[in-house]
Amino acid sequence: MKDTLILAIESSCDETAASVVKNGRTILSNVISSQIELHKLYGGVVPEIASRKHIEKVNQVVEEALKNADVTLDDLDAIGVTYGPGLVGALLVGVAEAKAIAYAKKLPLVGVHHIEGHVSANYIEHPDLEPPFLCLIVSGGHTHLVIVKDYGEFEILGRTRDDAAGEAFDKVARAIGLGYPGGPKIDKLSKEGNPEAIVFPRAKIGTCPYDFSFSGVKSAVLNYINQAQMKGEEVNRADLAASFQKAVVDVLVEHTMLAAKDYKMDKIAIAGGVASNGTLRAAMEKACVENGYKFYRPSPIFCTDNAAMIGAAAYYEYMKGTRHGWDLNAVPNLKLGER
Ligand code: KG4
Ligand code: ZN
């Protein structure tokens, strides 16, 4: 069968990324231009700055992706692009770029849901992974526990009631002066701390055992810091980071294992920026081994935002016949499973 080559573009937040993907699973190039250094100054992503920077970078990133893959626009079969959820001004840059290329080269345009992209990152390095499987999606904006019933078909079992897991990492990191983005910094600092030093709450939601809540643990961390300050005591930041991280990871693993048991799923995957967390990866792997489940996780570079995962998702959408028109727009609050 002829190979299918897709150029994918991702610009939903603070990375401008492009990738050429063959048959959904082979990455020919993966270019990521990160704006982290710019946003660090403000302690978080500034939407207006993100959009402007995407405009500056997008052509260059696409050209580099084509060059690294050793292909031209004439070799492509389709253009895939993230059209939601995310920052509207940031998404629009990628969508406009994708539409322009697709229109000029008369190529099919395939809009991709950002979270479907994160889940699809698992297909890149695991040729044996096929739906159905259970996937925990933990990013800066989302925390979902889903059954991937088929490519692009999701049954949502649980979600966060308040903060996303990544958001909790970022807020706690800011509170202890680690700066943005907080997740990788807490991950690193935790290695020097004792995860049993402070017991933070693990929220249980009575009505839905697969739902999550992270605002309680975040408030408990802030209270702990305030109380220490009032008493004039120094906070051991490494112990605090490690204890907070353990509280979050314990809940993520516990709920995933419960869902796996209840829904008789024996393949477990993780996805999203927080899936690059060392403690989460180790704890989930251990729990999967203990329960006899097969564990899948993308390499850290495919966990945080990238276009390779969008190319993987776009391929399966393309094969299913998903096509978008020239009226494709950015949808900042696009729901999972919507097209
Ligand atoms: O998936 P992603 O790159 O962007 C979104 O779609 O949101 O996720 C970014 C989030 C941020 O909150 C960041 O702090 C978190 O993922 N993150 C981590 C780690 N690396 C990134 N959280 C914990 N540990 C990490 N190593
Ligand atoms: Zn993301």
Side-chain angles (χ1 to χ4, degrees):
M1 212 171 77
K2 186 192 161 295
D3 287 335
T4 301
L5 285 188
I6 295 185
L7 167 69
I9 300 170
E10 154 67 40
S11 69
S12 65
C13 190
D14 59 348
E15 337 274 341
T16 322
S19 170
V20 178
V21 181
K22 186 169 86 176
N23 302 331
R25 299 203 182 218
T26 305
I27 308 307
L28 302 187
S29 63
N30 184 30
V31 180
I32 306 169
S33 168
S34 173
Q35 307 176 359
I36 283 178
E37 289 305 318
L38 269 179
H39 298 288
K40 245 184 195 168
L41 302 168
Y42 307 93
V45 178
V46 184
E48 181 62 24
I49 296 180
S51 319
R52 284 165 188 260
K53 208 65 201 168
H54 284 310
I55 292 175
E56 267 176 42
K57 289 278 173 189
V58 71
N59 280 332
Q60 193 185 321
V61 165
V62 165
E63 273 173 27
E64 208 175 318
L66 294 169
K67 188 167 151 261
N68 292 356
D70 201 15
V71 300
T72 70
L73 291 176
D74 294 323
D75 299 315
L76 300 174
D77 295 282
I79 309 292
V81 64
T82 307
Y83 72 107
L87 302 169
V88 66
L91 288 163
L92 274 171
V93 178
V95 169
E97 178 83 0
K99 282 202 271 191
I101 298 173
Y103 184 75
K105 301 306 289 184
K106 299 190 172 52
L107 287 169
L109 177 68
V110 182
V112 173
H113 191 292
H114 182 74
I115 298 301
E116 184 177 342
H118 274 302
V119 172
S120 306
N122 280 287
Y123 300 135
I124 298 170
E125 294 158 300
H126 301 297
D128 63 313
L129 178 62
E130 284 189 49
F133 58 92
L134 183 69
C135 189
L136 172 73
I137 306 154
V138 271
S139 74
H142 295 82
T143 306
H144 279 111
L145 191 52
V146 305
I147 293 178
V148 183
K149 295 162 80 171
D150 199 345
Y151 293 102
E153 303 291 331
F154 306 96
E155 180 181 343
I156 300 175
L157 304 181
R159 50 161 58 89
T160 183
R161 297 284 180 102
D162 38 59
D163 292 350
E167 206 177 339
F169 270 91
D170 293 337
K171 286 179 178 167
V172 166
R174 190 179 310 163
I176 53 174
L178 293 178
Y180 176 84
K185 292 186 171 147
I186 289 196
D187 195 355
K188 189 159 170 242
L189 182 62
S190 295
K191 295 192 172 67
E192 297 157 28
N194 172 10
E196 314 292 342
I198 313 159
V199 180
F200 288 124
R202 275 96 169 131
K204 284 238 174 347
I205 293 159
T207 46
C208 179
Y210 316 119
D211 272 357
F212 303 96
S213 166
F214 298 109
S215 66
V217 60
K218 180 196 68 191
S219 301
V221 171
L222 299 179
N223 285 340
Y224 182 89
I225 298 170
N226 282 340
Q227 277 173 10
Q229 273 167 354
M230 281 193 307
K231 286 189 246 164
E233 290 169 6
E234 184 105 357
V235 172
N236 181 325
R237 297 197 312 168
D239 280 354
L240 187 143
S243 302
F244 158 76
Q245 182 173 268
K246 179 151 195 324
V248 173
V249 167
D250 279 356
V251 170
L252 292 175
V253 173
E254 199 182 298
H255 290 198
T256 307
M257 290 303 124
L258 181 67
K261 185 165 154 260
D262 291 352
Y263 285 84
K264 301 192 173 32
M265 304 299 295
D266 59 2
K267 291 187 281 182
I268 317 287
I270 55 175
V274 183
S276 60
N277 182 272
T279 301
L280 173 62
R281 293 166 84 87
M284 197 67 90
E285 172 140 44
K286 182 166 175 272
C288 284
V289 169
E290 280 167 10
N291 288 286
Y293 304 144
K294 186 125 203 260
F295 178 51
Y296 299 88
R297 73 276 178 281
S299 290
I301 188 70
F302 296 124
C303 287
T304 44
D305 288 349
N306 65 86
M309 67 183 196
I310 303 302
Y315 171 78
Y316 289 103
E317 289 293 340
Y318 172 79
M319 294 308 274
K320 268 198 294 198
T322 302
R323 302 289 184 268
H324 285 90
W326 307 128
D327 58 349
L328 178 67
N329 205 349
V331 185
N333 57 356
L334 185 66
K335 301 277 169 297
L336 192 61
E338 260 178 37
R339 279 194 186 86

